[in-house]
Amino acid sequence: AQSVTQLGSHVSVSEGALVLLRCNYSSSVPPYLFWYVQYPNQGLQLLLKYTSAATLVKGINGFEAEFKKSETSFHLTKPSAHMSDAAEYFCAVSEGNSGGYQKVTFGTGTKLQVIP
Amino acid sequence: DTGVSQDPRHKITKRGQNVTFRCDPISEHNRLYWYRQTLGQGPEFLTYFQNEAQLEKSRLLSDRFSAERPKGSFSTLEIQRTEQGDSAMYLCASSLGRTGEATGELFFGEGSRLTVL
C-alpha cells in the first residue's frame, strides 16, 4: 500500500530564509508524487507534481521538489520564504489501481509559519 | 467555470440528526472524490466516483454514510444519525482522467465543515 510520511507537523522559518519541508514515500510501484498547499479556510491546490520525467520539479510561487528514489524522498524547497507562504502543505502519493482510477493518499501535513 | 463548489460551507447539528453535503465538480471532470479531514490530519479518502459509478468506498465510510452521484454530475454525501466523531471537514475533489491514468491533478472545493454537538 502506498503512503507518505511528512516529518515535522510545524516548521518555522524567518522571512527570506530557506524553506525545507520533508516528505518520504512508500509505494510498491513507481510513484507519482504531489505537493498541495492549503491556505486557511480554503481547499487544497496543487503546487507541483512528479510524474517520472525530470527528477527536479518546479512549481508555482517559487517552490520546487526533487525526487530521490534512493532516499524515497520528495522534499519541498523554496530559496527565500515570503510571508504569503504561511500555509499548510501536504505531500501526496498517487498510483493507479485495479479499478483503473487514480488513488491519492495524503500525508498528515506540515504547517509553515513565516516569521517577519 | 468557477471550480469545485461545496454546500453548505458550515453545518452545526445535534447528535442523531441527519446531514447532507453537496458537491458540484468542474463540469467536464469524470472523477469525483470525497475526503474527510480532521484537525492535524491530512485528507483521508472516503469514496470515489467514475462518472455515476461509485467504484470504491473506504472502510471509514460506515453504513451511516452514503454517497451518490446521479447522472455523473453533482454528488451528495449523507450522514445519518450523526455522532460527535463525525465532526470534521468534508472535502470534495474532482479530476479528469482516462482509465489507468494516475497523474492527474485533483481540484478541491473549499470543504464543508461539520460540527456535531
Side-chain angles (χ1 to χ4, degrees):
Chain A
Q2 59 184 13
S3 65
V4 289
T5 301
Q6 292 186 242
L7 299 176
S9 58
H10 290 81
V11 170
S12 292
V13 300
S14 298
E15 190 175 16
L18 171 71
V19 176
L20 171 61
L21 305 182
R22 300 178 186 272
C23 173
N24 289 88
Y25 70 88
S26 172
S27 178
S28 58
V29 297
Y32 303 121
L33 295 160
F34 302 74
W35 276 98
Y36 283 82
V37 61
Q38 186 177 32
Y39 297 100
N41 300 314
Q42 294 187 26
L44 283 73
Q45 65 181 87
L46 183 69
L47 268 181
L48 50 80
K49 66 178 180 180
Y50 166 75
T51 58
S52 74
T55 57
L56 182 63
V57 181
K58 295 187 184 298
I60 61 172
N61 302 336
F63 284 93
E64 62 182 37
E66 186 172 7
F67 173 72
K68 291 187 176 180
K69 184 177 179 180
S70 61
E71 299 177 8
T72 62
S73 69
F74 190 57
H75 302 331
L76 182 71
T77 61
K78 182 174 180 178
S80 176
H82 192 272
M83 295 299 295
S84 61
D85 295 327
E88 190 157 19
Y89 293 79
F90 294 93
C91 183
V93 61
S94 168
E95 61 184 19
N97 67 358
S98 59
Y101 72 90
Q102 176 182 12
K103 184 157 184 160
V104 182
T105 303
F106 288 85
T108 52
T110 298
K111 279 192 178 174
L112 177 65
Q113 179 186 22
V114 182
I115 303 167
Chain B
D1 181 24
T2 56
V4 179
S5 63
Q6 293 188 243
D7 183 71
R9 294 288 312 279
H10 302 274
K11 179 72 176 178
I12 300 174
T13 191
K14 292 182 179 180
R15 184 163 52 94
Q17 298 295 305
N18 299 343
V19 297
T20 299
F21 301 114
R22 176 180 169 122
C23 171
D24 286 273
I26 294 172
S27 58
E28 65 269 25
H29 284 184
N30 57 340
R31 296 173 168 178
L32 188 146
Y33 301 79
W34 283 99
Y35 285 84
R36 182 175 69 183
Q37 186 178 22
T38 53
L39 203 61
Q41 298 296 318
E44 297 173 293
F45 172 79
L46 291 179
T47 190
Y48 163 78
F49 290 86
Q50 176 98 359
N51 300 309
E52 68 276 8
Q54 187 176 20
L55 297 186
E56 184 167 343
K57 293 192 293 185
S58 164
R59 64 178 183 276
L60 293 175
L61 218 63
S62 75
D63 57 6
R64 296 185 298 105
F65 288 71
S66 62
E68 294 182 339
R69 192 184 182 196
K71 303 179 183 177
S73 56
F74 72 91
S75 176
T76 58
L77 177 68
E78 181 183 14
I79 309 174
Q80 295 182 325
R81 305 181 303 280
T82 52
E83 302 173 354
Q84 289 184 326
D86 298 331
S87 295
M89 177 76 84
Y90 290 87
L91 298 170
C92 177
S94 70
S95 70
L96 182 64
R98 297 183 299 272
T99 298
E101 186 178 63
T103 59
E105 173 184 356
L106 267 60
F107 292 81
F108 281 85
E110 294 183 327
S112 292
R113 182 171 296 282
L114 173 65
T115 301
V116 181
L117 302 176

mmCIF file of all heavy atoms in Angstrom, chain A residues 9 103 111:
data_model
loop_
_atom_site.group_PDB
_atom_site.id
_atom_site.type_symbol
_atom_site.label_atom_id
_atom_site.label_comp_id
_atom_site.label_asym_id
_atom_site.label_seq_id
_atom_site.Cartn_x
_atom_site.Cartn_y
_atom_site.Cartn_z
ATOM 1 N N SER A 9 5.326 18.431 11.952
ATOM 2 C CA SER A 9 3.973 18.930 11.729
ATOM 3 C C SER A 9 3.960 20.459 11.674
ATOM 4 O O SER A 9 3.029 21.044 11.115
ATOM 5 C CB SER A 9 3.029 18.447 12.827
ATOM 6 O OG SER A 9 3.494 18.861 14.090
ATOM 7 N N LYS A 103 -5.682 6.602 -7.274
ATOM 8 C CA LYS A 103 -5.882 6.645 -5.830
ATOM 9 C C LYS A 103 -4.819 7.554 -5.227
ATOM 10 O O LYS A 103 -3.631 7.340 -5.414
ATOM 11 C CB LYS A 103 -5.779 5.257 -5.226
ATOM 12 C CG LYS A 103 -6.081 5.254 -3.736
ATOM 13 C CD LYS A 103 -6.530 3.900 -3.271
ATOM 14 C CE LYS A 103 -6.926 3.978 -1.791
ATOM 15 N NZ LYS A 103 -7.778 2.882 -1.383
ATOM 16 N N LYS A 111 2.529 22.505 8.808
ATOM 17 C CA LYS A 111 2.161 23.925 8.863
ATOM 18 C C LYS A 111 3.422 24.769 8.840
ATOM 19 O O LYS A 111 4.301 24.592 9.678
ATOM 20 C CB LYS A 111 1.356 24.223 10.121
ATOM 21 C CG LYS A 111 -0.099 23.868 10.008
ATOM 22 C CD LYS A 111 -0.915 24.450 11.156
ATOM 23 C CE LYS A 111 -2.377 24.118 10.970
ATOM 24 N NZ LYS A 111 -3.200 24.520 12.117
#
